[in-house]
Amino acid sequence: YLAAERRDFPAALAILHSIEAVAPISAGTAVEAGYVLNQSGKPEEGVAAYRRAYALAEKYPSQRMYRAAALRGIGSGLIDLKRLDDAKRAFLESLEVEPGNKVALNELAYIQELQGSR
């Protein structure tokens, strides 16, 4: 988290890969990797990391707490990829897991804005 906060994304990814090696079912690590990749301007890789996080969260009960965050990350990456309808679906699904989440609601409003300006 500290490396990502300093925007040292290569170092953050290296640390996250090390963590994944010893904790391969950590959805939280995959969520953080998705964040770092999205922030690094690599939304396709970020979405893939968030999808991996979501799959882990679905498979392992101990990781379920990361489902909504993974879906929001998928949505954010899809916005960057200009796949607004898919992003909207991801945020709506995240709200099914975590109703009333302000981030998801704000992102849905942002998508609405973008779609209105087309």
Side-chain angles (χ1 to χ4, degrees):
Y1 299 111
L2 295 175
E5 192 174 287
R6 289 190 317 263
R7 303 194 63 78
D8 186 353
F9 299 128
L13 284 174
I15 293 166
L16 291 165
H17 289 309
S18 297
I19 295 169
E20 285 176 340
V22 296
I25 68 162
S26 172
T29 302
V31 163
E32 188 66 17
Y35 171 79
V36 169
L37 289 162
N38 277 356
Q39 292 295 307
S40 299
K42 299 176 182 177
E44 288 178 6
E45 292 176 50
V47 168
Y50 280 120
R51 288 189 194 281
R52 187 170 59 255
Y54 184 77
L56 291 167
E58 284 290 294
K59 184 173 182 178
Y60 299 103
S62 66
Q63 302 301 301
R64 293 253 158 80
M65 68 185 93
Y66 295 104
R67 288 183 304 164
L71 289 164
R72 288 191 303 271
I74 290 167
S76 293
L78 291 172
I79 288 173
D80 291 343
L81 293 169
K82 310 291 189 242
R83 293 175 48 193
L84 300 181
D85 290 334
D86 293 334
K88 183 176 180 179
R89 278 190 288 280
F91 286 115
L92 289 172
E93 190 175 344
S94 81
L95 287 170
E96 290 174 20
V97 177
E98 202 174 88
N101 180 277
K102 299 288 186 206
V103 172
L105 293 170
N106 288 339
E107 292 297 326
L108 285 168
Y110 177 64
I111 291 169
Q112 185 75 27
E113 235 179 76
L114 292 174
Q115 289 178 323
S117 66
R118 284 195 222 171

